[in-house]
């Protein structure tokens, strides 16, 4: 960013906490490379302040916001209209502020997850075998819809609270089967991929680690968690010979369509935003172990 002018286009990310968000690093690097007169900044309102922030920014005071925890459901509620995928996910990670004062919601998390598979497990066909999703929170719900859209013949949803997984099955329809953690070996049997959409898998006997035991050789393992980049789940999966996909790649891939929605052009491929994000995470030196 060279300078701020009276014509500078503003976009940002809203979350609480937002301090450690990677999004400003990605978007500002892309802005600098394109030469767009724009800036991308963080917002961290209280829960009560979130709807007031969205209301106050109407009329394109900002081009748009990325939305992270805990505001994704509130973002969908605050919008005037929403994409099909945001409605299916029941949450929005993108708000676009239109010049006519309306707000449009979208959800690019699923696109980010599918893009991460394409980038880091390029030979894998998600439509070839059932996919296991661990976790039925907001991220799990978005993942199930995106995997069905990508042609997964069956999504096996594993969650501690069965009612939450059943609610997703009822809401989305399609070939979804629900399992408790006690039946995780049944869920992983014959699966082609496993996605961790819980914040677990970080320590010794967390349930996601146990899930690896029943997974067929060659099945791809993805973890949405990216702090640390190489979670215990991914380390154990790699040691067992499974191809792995990390959460940072998902984060970068979900940011691409957001940038396009805010600034009207695709981010330049010439910028290595992954290297910038790795440096910010203090993970640059570990990248070579992938
Ligand atoms: P969430 O709505 O709070 O859901 C948390 C999930 O974890 C639920 O399924 C919950 O099960 C499960 N869980 C929590 N503690 C557990 C325990 N002790 N034992 C068993 N299950 C437990 O969170 P979320 O928004 O879905 O996010 C999940 C993770 O994905 C977070 O780490 C987030 O940072 C990450 N994420 C990454 C990206 C990316 O771009 N890389 C994007 C979105 C999210 P119950 O339903 O039983 O409570």
């Amino acid at each position: 960013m060279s300078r701020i002018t009276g014509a500078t286009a503003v976009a940002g990310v809203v979350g609480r906490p937002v301090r450690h968000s990677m999004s400003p690093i990605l978007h500002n690097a892309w802005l600098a490379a394109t030469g767009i007169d724009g800036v991308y900044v963080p917002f961290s309102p209280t829960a009560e302040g979130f709807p007031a922030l969205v209301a106050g920014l109407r009329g394109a005071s900002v081009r748009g916001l990325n939305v992270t925890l805990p505001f994704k459901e509130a973002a969908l509620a605050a919008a005037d209209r929403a994409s099909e995928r945001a409605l299916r996910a029941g949450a929005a990670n993108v708000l676009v502020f239109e010049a006519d004062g309306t707000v449009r919601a979208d959800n690019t998390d699923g696109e980010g997850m599918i893009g991460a598979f394409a980038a880091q497990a390029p030979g894998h066909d998600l439509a070839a075998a059932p996919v296991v999703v661990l976790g039925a929170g907001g991220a799990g719900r978005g993942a199930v819809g995106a995997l069905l859209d990508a042609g997964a013949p069956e999504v096996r949803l594993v969650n501690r609270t069965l009612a939450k997984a059943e609610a997703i099955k009822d809401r989305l329809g399609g070939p979804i089967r629900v399992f408790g953690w006690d039946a995780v070996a049944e869920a992983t049997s014959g699966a082609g991929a496993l996605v961790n959409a819980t914040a677990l898998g970080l320590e010794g006997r967390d349930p996601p680690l146990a899930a690896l035991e029943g997974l067929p050789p060659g099945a791809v393992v993805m973890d949405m968690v990216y702090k640390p980049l190489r979670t215990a789940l991914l380390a154990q999966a790699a040691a067992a010979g499974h191809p792995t996909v990390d959460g940072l790649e998902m984060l970068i891939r979900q940011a691409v369509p957001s940038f396009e929605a805010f600034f009207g052009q695709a981010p330049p491929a010439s910028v290595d935003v992954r290297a910038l994000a790795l440096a910010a995470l203090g993970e640059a030196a570990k990248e070579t172990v992938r």
Side-chain angles (χ1 to χ4, degrees), residues 133-145 157 168 172 197-198 224:
V133 174
L134 308 177
R141 187 169 52 194
V144 172
L157 185 55
I168 292 174
L172 296 184
T198 73
M224 290 195 186

Side-chain angles (χ1 to χ4, degrees), residues 105-159:
D106 193 9
N107 193 317
T108 63
D109 279 340
E111 183 178 341
M113 181 191 67
I114 300 297
F117 267 92
Q120 295 189 334
H124 183 71
D125 180 6
L126 286 166
V131 181
V132 179
V133 174
L134 308 177
R141 187 169 52 194
V144 172
L147 288 164
L148 291 175
D149 287 348
E154 182 174 272
V155 176
R156 300 173 178 172
L157 185 55
V158 182
N159 203 45

Side-chain angles (χ1 to χ4, degrees), residues 31-42:
L31 282 168
T34 52
I36 292 172
D37 181 6
V39 65
Y40 186 100
V41 293

Side-chain angles (χ1 to χ4, degrees), residues 30-258:
W30 284 329
L31 282 168
T34 52
I36 292 172
D37 181 6
V39 65
Y40 186 100
V41 293
F43 296 91
S44 194
T46 60
E48 305 75 51
F50 177 78
L53 176 74
V54 175
L57 294 175
R58 281 175 183 269
S61 289
V62 303
R63 296 287 183 87
L65 294 175
N66 284 118
V67 184
T68 186
L69 293 177
F71 299 125
K72 289 187 178 185
E73 282 86 5
L76 182 64
D80 301 298
R81 57 189 195 284
S83 64
E84 185 62 34
R85 57 191 183 176
L87 291 171
R88 283 180 86 199
N93 73 326
V94 181
L95 291 177
V96 177
F97 292 79
E98 311 280 16
D100 65 2
T102 61
V103 179
R104 174 166 59 86
D106 193 9
N107 193 317
T108 63
D109 279 340
E111 183 178 341
M113 181 191 67
I114 300 297
F117 267 92
Q120 295 189 334
H124 183 71
D125 180 6
L126 286 166
V131 181
V132 179
V133 174
L134 308 177
R141 187 169 52 194
V144 172
L147 288 164
L148 291 175
D149 287 348
E154 182 174 272
V155 176
R156 300 173 178 172
L157 185 55
V158 182
N159 203 45
R160 175 179 58 181
T161 310
L162 280 180
K164 277 170 73 178
E166 294 286 0
I168 292 174
K169 177 180 155 82
D170 293 346
R171 183 188 172 109
L172 296 184
I176 303 169
R177 282 169 68 197
V178 167
F179 298 83
W181 283 107
D182 55 344
V184 72
E186 194 188 334
T188 52
S189 168
L194 177 143
V195 175
N196 179 35
T198 73
L200 304 175
L202 302 172
E203 289 175 26
R205 294 299 301 167
D206 265 355
L209 290 167
L212 290 178
E213 286 162 19
L215 207 59
V220 178
V221 175
M222 180 191 176
D223 201 335
M224 290 195 186
V225 176
Y226 59 88
K227 285 180 194 169
L229 179 70
R230 200 162 186 77
T231 60
L233 181 72
L234 291 189
Q236 194 162 312
H242 295 285
T244 59
V245 176
D246 64 52
L248 180 59
E249 198 60 31
M250 171 173 170
L251 184 83
I252 293 169
R253 303 270 160 179
Q254 64 77 33
V256 170
S258 313

